[in-house]
Amino acid sequence: MLRRSVSTPDLSEVELRQALMRLGGGWLTGDAALAAIVLWSSGQFDTNAIAAVLTVREDAVCRTLAMARDGARADARAAR
């Protein structure tokens, strides 16, 4: 079996994260996650528009919003 060495391009963390989001899976982190939550909370944007602005897949935006919603519910339950 022959093995070839594959070199990876030098990508910044942001570029790598965006590339992974375009490939699918996962959720947003950091500033992108916060931006998605703020845009969604404004009521003026749908998940497709948010994904377009952040240059990520719509499913990543949906997963992020679901995690934020579930986390807020858990925090509310714990505060009781």
Side-chain angles (χ1 to χ4, degrees):
M1 177 182 234
L2 257 193
R3 290 189 181 215
R4 280 190 281 170
S5 173
V6 177
S7 63
T8 57
D10 291 333
L11 296 173
S12 71
E13 182 181 344
V14 171
E15 292 169 327
L16 180 60
R17 188 179 309 135
Q18 287 176 342
L20 291 172
M21 287 298 111
R22 282 191 294 272
L23 292 173
W27 50 85
L28 305 176
T29 59
D31 292 340
L34 181 59
I37 294 166
V38 170
L39 290 172
W40 178 258
S41 297
S42 74
Q44 298 179 20
F45 301 93
D46 62 8
T47 55
N48 190 31
I50 295 169
V53 168
L54 298 176
T55 63
V56 298
R57 289 177 49 129
E58 186 177 10
D59 60 326
V61 173
C62 292
R63 283 189 195 98
T64 300
L65 295 173
M67 273 187 13
R69 181 189 62 231
D70 295 344
R73 286 180 185 161
D75 289 345
R77 275 187 244 124
R80 289 182 199 172

